[in-house]
Amino acid sequence: MPTLPVPVLTVGLLLLSNVFMTFAWYGHLRFKTASLVMVVLVSWGIAFFEYVLQVPANRIGHGHFSAAELKTIQEVLTLSVFAVFSVLYLKEPLGWNHLLGFGFIGLGAFFIFHKWG
């Protein structure tokens, strides 16, 4: 059975984990009438699957990526998933200021991943 390269597997698992975590953290915003206790419990249930994906992603990726690089990948994916989620699920537009801010975070990722020297 062919195995996926470490970067592909790591980023893929982190991407999927971010989808679950975005729903856990923000999905309940469309259900304002649901009790807070209920949305916390449902969010915990969804977050479990985020951990099932993220912990192996970090374990598999560490060594190929540094911890700082793994965190950077996580944050860039988090913003990317959130941007899509915000527009498609929450029906909230992203303004130029959001995009500019996300761009600066992307610029920060460039500085982390660029091989200096």
Side-chain angles (χ1 to χ4, degrees):
M1 180 170 144
T3 59
L4 294 172
V6 168
V8 172
L9 187 56
T10 301
V11 172
L13 288 170
L14 288 174
L15 176 64
L16 291 172
S17 76
N18 269 286
V19 171
F20 281 103
M21 202 57 176
T22 299
F23 274 96
W25 285 2
Y26 302 102
H28 62 88
L29 296 177
R30 286 189 37 189
F31 304 97
K32 297 283 191 181
T33 59
S35 74
L36 187 55
V37 170
M38 179 58 72
V39 297
V40 166
L41 292 174
V42 169
S43 291
W44 277 351
I46 295 169
F48 170 79
F49 296 101
E50 185 266 346
Y51 280 89
V52 166
L53 296 165
Q54 184 168 357
V55 171
N58 287 326
R59 176 71 62 98
I60 292 164
H62 191 251
H64 184 86
F65 298 109
S66 69
E69 289 171 335
L70 285 168
K71 184 60 179 171
T72 302
I73 293 165
Q74 172 70 24
E75 293 304 325
V76 169
L77 289 171
T78 296
L79 285 174
S80 300
V81 168
F82 179 78
V84 172
F85 177 88
S86 179
V87 171
L88 297 180
Y89 183 80
L90 294 176
K91 307 292 187 213
E92 293 183 3
L94 293 177
W96 68 267
N97 55 325
H98 302 116
L99 299 175
L100 181 62
F102 292 169
F104 279 124
I105 292 168
L107 185 61
F110 165 78
F111 283 106
I112 290 172
F113 279 96
H114 185 76
K115 302 301 180 208
W116 301 96

